[in-house]
PDB file of all heavy atoms in Angstrom:
ATOM      1  N   LYS P  21      20.102 -24.119   4.555  1.00 92.00           N
ATOM      2  CA  LYS P  21      18.804 -24.066   5.320  1.00 92.00           C
ATOM      3  C   LYS P  21      19.089 -23.874   6.803  1.00 92.00           C
ATOM      4  O   LYS P  21      18.248 -23.436   7.560  1.00 92.00           O
ATOM      5  CB  LYS P  21      17.984 -25.344   5.107  1.00 92.00           C
ATOM      6  CG  LYS P  21      18.575 -26.603   5.659  1.00 92.00           C
ATOM      7  CD  LYS P  21      17.562 -27.736   5.347  1.00 92.00           C
ATOM      8  CE  LYS P  21      18.202 -29.099   5.735  1.00 92.00           C
ATOM      9  NZ  LYS P  21      18.437 -29.118   7.186  1.00 92.00           N
ATOM     10  N   ASN P  22      20.308 -24.041   7.254  1.00 93.00           N
ATOM     11  CA  ASN P  22      20.679 -23.908   8.675  1.00 93.00           C
ATOM     12  C   ASN P  22      21.166 -22.445   8.906  1.00 93.00           C
ATOM     13  O   ASN P  22      21.524 -22.139  10.075  1.00 93.00           O
ATOM     14  CB  ASN P  22      21.786 -24.873   9.067  1.00 93.00           C
ATOM     15  CG  ASN P  22      21.213 -26.325   9.089  1.00 93.00           C
ATOM     16  OD1 ASN P  22      20.037 -26.511   9.091  1.00 93.00           O
ATOM     17  ND2 ASN P  22      22.133 -27.215   8.919  1.00 93.00           N
ATOM     18  N   ILE P  23      21.248 -21.627   7.899  1.00 95.00           N
ATOM     19  CA  ILE P  23      21.818 -20.314   8.053  1.00 95.00           C
ATOM     20  C   ILE P  23      20.806 -19.318   8.530  1.00 95.00           C
ATOM     21  O   ILE P  23      19.738 -19.133   7.917  1.00 95.00           O
ATOM     22  CB  ILE P  23      22.458 -19.784   6.761  1.00 95.00           C
ATOM     23  CG1 ILE P  23      23.654 -20.745   6.341  1.00 95.00           C
ATOM     24  CG2 ILE P  23      22.861 -18.387   6.882  1.00 95.00           C
ATOM     25  CD1 ILE P  23      24.274 -20.347   4.997  1.00 95.00           C
ATOM     26  N   GLU P  24      21.060 -18.613   9.627  1.00 96.00           N
ATOM     27  CA  GLU P  24      20.243 -17.560  10.133  1.00 96.00           C
ATOM     28  C   GLU P  24      20.761 -16.274   9.625  1.00 96.00           C
ATOM     29  O   GLU P  24      19.997 -15.323   9.229  1.00 96.00           O
ATOM     30  CB  GLU P  24      20.296 -17.586  11.670  1.00 96.00           C
ATOM     31  CG  GLU P  24      19.453 -16.515  12.390  1.00 96.00           C
ATOM     32  CD  GLU P  24      19.463 -16.731  13.816  1.00 96.00           C
ATOM     33  OE1 GLU P  24      18.786 -17.607  14.290  1.00 96.00           O
ATOM     34  OE2 GLU P  24      20.236 -15.951  14.512  1.00 96.00           O
ATOM     35  N   LYS P  25      22.081 -16.076   9.611  1.00 96.00           N
ATOM     36  CA  LYS P  25      22.676 -14.841   9.189  1.00 96.00           C
ATOM     37  C   LYS P  25      24.109 -15.028   8.582  1.00 96.00           C
ATOM     38  O   LYS P  25      24.758 -15.965   9.052  1.00 96.00           O
ATOM     39  CB  LYS P  25      22.734 -13.854  10.391  1.00 96.00           C
ATOM     40  CG  LYS P  25      23.474 -12.533  10.122  1.00 96.00           C
ATOM     41  CD  LYS P  25      23.171 -11.459  11.163  1.00 96.00           C
ATOM     42  CE  LYS P  25      23.922 -11.763  12.438  1.00 96.00           C
ATOM     43  NZ  LYS P  25      23.863 -10.540  13.404  1.00 96.00           N
ATOM     44  N   VAL P  26      24.409 -14.264   7.612  1.00 96.00           N
ATOM     45  CA  VAL P  26      25.731 -14.252   7.069  1.00 96.00           C
ATOM     46  C   VAL P  26      26.371 -12.869   7.273  1.00 96.00           C
ATOM     47  O   VAL P  26      25.725 -11.859   7.022  1.00 96.00           O
ATOM     48  CB  VAL P  26      25.757 -14.578   5.523  1.00 96.00           C
ATOM     49  CG1 VAL P  26      27.193 -14.552   4.947  1.00 96.00           C
ATOM     50  CG2 VAL P  26      25.095 -15.890   5.233  1.00 96.00           C
ATOM     51  N   GLU P  27      27.565 -12.842   7.826  1.00 97.00           N
ATOM     52  CA  GLU P  27      28.218 -11.478   7.948  1.00 97.00           C
ATOM     53  C   GLU P  27      29.490 -11.582   7.106  1.00 97.00           C
ATOM     54  O   GLU P  27      30.262 -12.441   7.256  1.00 97.00           O
ATOM     55  CB  GLU P  27      28.592 -11.285   9.415  1.00 97.00           C
ATOM     56  CG  GLU P  27      27.415 -11.014  10.319  1.00 97.00           C
ATOM     57  CD  GLU P  27      27.813 -10.901  11.762  1.00 97.00           C
ATOM     58  OE1 GLU P  27      28.005 -11.944  12.395  1.00 97.00           O
ATOM     59  OE2 GLU P  27      28.008  -9.863  12.258  1.00 97.00           O
ATOM     60  N   ILE P  28      29.665 -10.527   6.339  1.00 96.00           N
ATOM     61  CA  ILE P  28      30.895 -10.394   5.470  1.00 96.00           C
ATOM     62  C   ILE P  28      31.598  -9.177   6.091  1.00 96.00           C
ATOM     63  O   ILE P  28      31.054  -8.041   6.028  1.00 96.00           O
ATOM     64  CB  ILE P  28      30.619 -10.164   4.015  1.00 96.00           C
ATOM     65  CG1 ILE P  28      29.707 -11.252   3.391  1.00 96.00           C
ATOM     66  CG2 ILE P  28      31.840 -10.016   3.208  1.00 96.00           C
ATOM     67  CD1 ILE P  28      29.164 -10.990   2.100  1.00 96.00           C
ATOM     68  N   ILE P  29      32.693  -9.393   6.746  1.00 96.00           N
ATOM     69  CA  ILE P  29      33.450  -8.302   7.373  1.00 96.00           C
ATOM     70  C   ILE P  29      34.677  -7.933   6.640  1.00 96.00           C
ATOM     71  O   ILE P  29      35.498  -8.760   6.408  1.00 96.00           O
ATOM     72  CB  ILE P  29      33.776  -8.742   8.883  1.00 96.00           C
ATOM     73  CG1 ILE P  29      32.507  -9.132   9.589  1.00 96.00           C
ATOM     74  CG2 ILE P  29      34.442  -7.540   9.594  1.00 96.00           C
ATOM     75  CD1 ILE P  29      32.827  -9.738  10.951  1.00 96.00           C
ATOM     76  N   ARG P  30      34.672  -6.682   6.100  1.00 95.00           N
ATOM     77  CA  ARG P  30      35.773  -6.210   5.242  1.00 95.00           C
ATOM     78  C   ARG P  30      37.144  -6.154   6.040  1.00 95.00           C
ATOM     79  O   ARG P  30      37.067  -5.967   7.289  1.00 95.00           O
ATOM     80  CB  ARG P  30      35.471  -4.875   4.726  1.00 95.00           C
ATOM     81  CG  ARG P  30      34.280  -4.903   3.812  1.00 95.00           C
ATOM     82  CD  ARG P  30      34.507  -5.540   2.441  1.00 95.00           C
ATOM     83  NE  ARG P  30      35.538  -4.801   1.663  1.00 95.00           N
ATOM     84  CZ  ARG P  30      36.342  -5.444   0.829  1.00 95.00           C
ATOM     85  NH1 ARG P  30      36.258  -6.750   0.653  1.00 95.00           N
ATOM     86  NH2 ARG P  30      37.174  -4.752   0.150  1.00 95.00           N
ATOM     87  N   PRO P  31      38.201  -6.258   5.386  1.00 93.00           N
ATOM     88  CA  PRO P  31      39.523  -6.127   6.109  1.00 93.00           C
ATOM     89  C   PRO P  31      39.500  -4.653   6.750  1.00 93.00           C
ATOM     90  O   PRO P  31      38.960  -3.786   6.267  1.00 93.00           O
ATOM     91  CB  PRO P  31      40.469  -6.196   4.926  1.00 93.00           C
ATOM     92  CG  PRO P  31      39.885  -6.860   3.842  1.00 93.00           C
ATOM     93  CD  PRO P  31      38.377  -6.579   3.942  1.00 93.00           C
ATOM     94  N   SER P  32      40.210  -4.621   7.952  1.00 92.00           N
ATOM     95  CA  SER P  32      40.133  -3.378   8.653  1.00 92.00           C
ATOM     96  C   SER P  32      41.404  -3.271   9.471  1.00 92.00           C
ATOM     97  O   SER P  32      42.266  -4.190   9.398  1.00 92.00           O
ATOM     98  CB  SER P  32      38.959  -3.343   9.582  1.00 92.00           C
ATOM     99  OG  SER P  32      39.119  -4.349  10.544  1.00 92.00           O
ATOM    100  N   ALA P  33      41.506  -2.201  10.262  1.00 90.00           N
ATOM    101  CA  ALA P  33      42.696  -2.058  11.135  1.00 90.00           C
ATOM    102  C   ALA P  33      42.852  -3.198  12.074  1.00 90.00           C
ATOM    103  O   ALA P  33      43.892  -3.722  12.445  1.00 90.00           O
ATOM    104  CB  ALA P  33      42.618  -0.751  11.929  1.00 90.00           C
ATOM    105  N   SER P  34      41.649  -3.759  12.503  1.00 90.00           N
ATOM    106  CA  SER P  34      41.757  -4.788  13.573  1.00 90.00           C
ATOM    107  C   SER P  34      41.928  -6.189  12.938  1.00 90.00           C
ATOM    108  O   SER P  34      42.361  -7.070  13.630  1.00 90.00           O
ATOM    109  CB  SER P  34      40.469  -4.780  14.374  1.00 90.00           C
ATOM    110  OG  SER P  34      39.323  -4.899  13.519  1.00 90.00           O
ATOM    111  N   CYS P  35      41.695  -6.352  11.614  1.00 92.00           N
ATOM    112  CA  CYS P  35      41.898  -7.610  10.992  1.00 92.00           C
ATOM    113  C   CYS P  35      42.166  -7.406   9.513  1.00 92.00           C
ATOM    114  O   CYS P  35      41.308  -6.913   8.783  1.00 92.00           O
ATOM    115  CB  CYS P  35      40.704  -8.585  11.192  1.00 92.00           C
ATOM    116  SG  CYS P  35      40.967 -10.185  10.370  1.00 92.00           S
ATOM    117  N   GLU P  36      43.324  -7.847   9.090  1.00 91.00           N
ATOM    118  CA  GLU P  36      43.714  -7.486   7.692  1.00 91.00           C
ATOM    119  C   GLU P  36      43.123  -8.306   6.619  1.00 91.00           C
ATOM    120  O   GLU P  36      43.260  -8.123   5.430  1.00 91.00           O
ATOM    121  CB  GLU P  36      45.279  -7.441   7.563  1.00 91.00           C
ATOM    122  CG  GLU P  36      45.917  -8.821   7.528  1.00 91.00           C
ATOM    123  CD  GLU P  36      45.769  -9.643   8.762  1.00 91.00           C
ATOM    124  OE1 GLU P  36      45.428  -9.001   9.872  1.00 91.00           O
ATOM    125  OE2 GLU P  36      45.879 -10.920   8.713  1.00 91.00           O
ATOM    126  N   ARG P  37      42.333  -9.351   7.067  1.00 91.00           N
ATOM    127  CA  ARG P  37      41.715 -10.109   6.027  1.00 91.00           C
ATOM    128  C   ARG P  37      40.203 -10.153   6.127  1.00 91.00           C
ATOM    129  O   ARG P  37      39.691  -9.844   7.229  1.00 91.00           O
ATOM    130  CB  ARG P  37      42.231 -11.627   6.099  1.00 91.00           C
ATOM    131  CG  ARG P  37      41.920 -12.360   7.419  1.00 91.00           C
ATOM    132  CD  ARG P  37      42.350 -13.782   7.297  1.00 91.00           C
ATOM    133  NE  ARG P  37      41.861 -14.580   8.516  1.00 91.00           N
ATOM    134  CZ  ARG P  37      42.647 -14.838   9.572  1.00 91.00           C
ATOM    135  NH1 ARG P  37      43.903 -14.553   9.588  1.00 91.00           N
ATOM    136  NH2 ARG P  37      42.170 -15.430  10.605  1.00 91.00           N
ATOM    137  N   GLN P  38      39.575 -10.434   4.985  1.00 93.00           N
ATOM    138  CA  GLN P  38      38.056 -10.414   5.044  1.00 93.00           C
ATOM    139  C   GLN P  38      37.685 -11.725   5.745  1.00 93.00           C
ATOM    140  O   GLN P  38      38.281 -12.735   5.574  1.00 93.00           O
ATOM    141  CB  GLN P  38      37.572 -10.472   3.533  1.00 93.00           C
ATOM    142  CG  GLN P  38      36.134 -10.596   3.394  1.00 93.00           C
ATOM    143  CD  GLN P  38      35.555  -9.887   2.189  1.00 93.00           C
ATOM    144  OE1 GLN P  38      35.504  -8.616   2.124  1.00 93.00           O
ATOM    145  NE2 GLN P  38      35.245 -10.638   1.203  1.00 93.00           N
ATOM    146  N   GLU P  39      36.583 -11.484   6.544  1.00 94.00           N
ATOM    147  CA  GLU P  39      36.077 -12.665   7.240  1.00 94.00           C
ATOM    148  C   GLU P  39      34.618 -12.839   6.934  1.00 94.00           C
ATOM    149  O   GLU P  39      33.861 -11.895   6.798  1.00 94.00           O
ATOM    150  CB  GLU P  39      36.261 -12.488   8.766  1.00 94.00           C
ATOM    151  CG  GLU P  39      37.740 -12.279   9.174  1.00 94.00           C
ATOM    152  CD  GLU P  39      37.903 -12.283  10.668  1.00 94.00           C
ATOM    153  OE1 GLU P  39      37.490 -11.269  11.294  1.00 94.00           O
ATOM    154  OE2 GLU P  39      38.477 -13.287  11.180  1.00 94.00           O
ATOM    155  N   ILE P  40      34.202 -14.107   6.858  1.00 95.00           N
ATOM    156  CA  ILE P  40      32.757 -14.390   6.609  1.00 95.00           C
ATOM    157  C   ILE P  40      32.267 -15.300   7.697  1.00 95.00           C
ATOM    158  O   ILE P  40      32.822 -16.452   7.870  1.00 95.00           O
ATOM    159  CB  ILE P  40      32.595 -15.054   5.153  1.00 95.00           C
ATOM    160  CG1 ILE P  40      33.091 -14.103   4.161  1.00 95.00           C
ATOM    161  CG2 ILE P  40      31.179 -15.449   4.943  1.00 95.00           C
ATOM    162  CD1 ILE P  40      33.017 -14.535   2.739  1.00 95.00           C
ATOM    163  N   ILE P  41      31.317 -14.845   8.462  1.00 95.00           N
ATOM    164  CA  ILE P  41      30.876 -15.556   9.609  1.00 95.00           C
ATOM    165  C   ILE P  41      29.384 -15.906   9.470  1.00 95.00           C
ATOM    166  O   ILE P  41      28.546 -15.030   9.153  1.00 95.00           O
ATOM    167  CB  ILE P  41      31.153 -14.740  10.889  1.00 95.00           C
ATOM    168  CG1 ILE P  41      32.601 -14.474  11.051  1.00 95.00           C
ATOM    169  CG2 ILE P  41      30.536 -15.469  12.091  1.00 95.00           C
ATOM    170  CD1 ILE P  41      32.879 -13.529  12.146  1.00 95.00           C
ATOM    171  N   VAL P  42      29.020 -17.112   9.597  1.00 96.00           N
ATOM    172  CA  VAL P  42      27.639 -17.617   9.523  1.00 96.00           C
ATOM    173  C   VAL P  42      27.139 -17.868  10.835  1.00 96.00           C
ATOM    174  O   VAL P  42      27.792 -18.550  11.660  1.00 96.00           O
ATOM    175  CB  VAL P  42      27.590 -18.920   8.612  1.00 96.00           C
ATOM    176  CG1 VAL P  42      26.286 -19.535   8.703  1.00 96.00           C
ATOM    177  CG2 VAL P  42      27.982 -18.479   7.170  1.00 96.00           C
ATOM    178  N   THR P  43      25.957 -17.269  11.227  1.00 96.00           N
ATOM    179  CA  THR P  43      25.253 -17.603  12.409  1.00 96.00           C
ATOM    180  C   THR P  43      24.165 -18.713  12.064  1.00 96.00           C
ATOM    181  O   THR P  43      23.398 -18.526  11.093  1.00 96.00           O
ATOM    182  CB  THR P  43      24.587 -16.471  13.004  1.00 96.00           C
ATOM    183  OG1 THR P  43      25.550 -15.385  13.270  1.00 96.00           O
ATOM    184  CG2 THR P  43      23.841 -16.747  14.289  1.00 96.00           C
ATOM    185  N   LEU P  44      24.268 -19.832  12.778  1.00 95.00           N
ATOM    186  CA  LEU P  44      23.352 -20.882  12.485  1.00 95.00           C
ATOM    187  C   LEU P  44      22.105 -20.756  13.339  1.00 95.00           C
ATOM    188  O   LEU P  44      21.968 -20.163  14.350  1.00 95.00           O
ATOM    189  CB  LEU P  44      24.079 -22.285  12.804  1.00 95.00           C
ATOM    190  CG  LEU P  44      25.344 -22.453  11.964  1.00 95.00           C
ATOM    191  CD1 LEU P  44      26.044 -23.657  12.514  1.00 95.00           C
ATOM    192  CD2 LEU P  44      25.038 -22.621  10.519  1.00 95.00           C
TER     193      LEU P  44
END
Side-chain angles (χ1 to χ4, degrees):
Chain P
K21 68 179 176 59
N22 293 339
I23 294 175
E24 180 177 284
K25 176 163 72 168
V26 180
E27 290 174 280
I28 303 167
I29 304 172
R30 295 290 294 151
S32 65
S34 54
C35 176
E36 75 295 341
R37 59 174 190 261
Q38 176 149 285
E39 299 187 291
I40 299 178
I41 300 172
V42 167
T43 302
L44 300 171

